[in-house]
Amino acid sequence: SSDVCSSDLKLQADIEFVRLSKVENLLLFTGHDLSYIAGETGFADCSHLIRTFKKRYQMTPKQIRLQHQNIRN
């Protein structure tokens, strides 16, 4: 039973990684707003997306987008 739990957690982590990778891609290479990105990547709302994103990247979606824009300019 603990193997099932650990494989479920691994699957959840893998899905979150894929979703956040898509979020990052949309943030950096499109001008879509956060509501649109949240909807496209399966997050319930913007605040859920921001919390999850910040936990992984230690910065908000807005911060990463601004940082990327500054590098490109």
Side-chain angles (χ1 to χ4, degrees):
S1 142
S2 68
D3 286 344
V4 171
C5 287
S6 66
S7 67
D8 285 351
L9 290 176
K10 171 89 170 89
L11 181 59
Q12 279 183 323
D14 289 347
I15 291 169
E16 184 176 284
F17 176 81
V18 170
R19 288 167 69 200
L20 287 173
S21 296
K22 183 169 182 180
V23 168
E24 183 182 18
N25 195 322
L26 290 169
L27 283 168
L28 298 182
F29 301 109
T30 75
H32 296 308
D33 65 27
L34 213 49
S35 288
Y36 177 85
I37 293 172
E40 284 295 298
T41 53
F43 286 91
D45 53 41
C46 291
S47 60
H48 181 221
L49 167 59
I50 293 166
R51 275 193 315 275
T52 307
F53 191 90
K54 193 171 181 182
K55 203 182 309 176
R56 177 169 302 272
Y57 294 97
Q58 285 76 50
M59 59 175 72
T60 66
K62 182 177 182 177
Q63 289 169 324
I64 205 163
R65 184 175 259 175
L66 289 171
Q67 182 182 55
H68 184 259
Q69 286 172 346
N70 289 338
I71 290 169
R72 288 177 64 195
N73 292 336

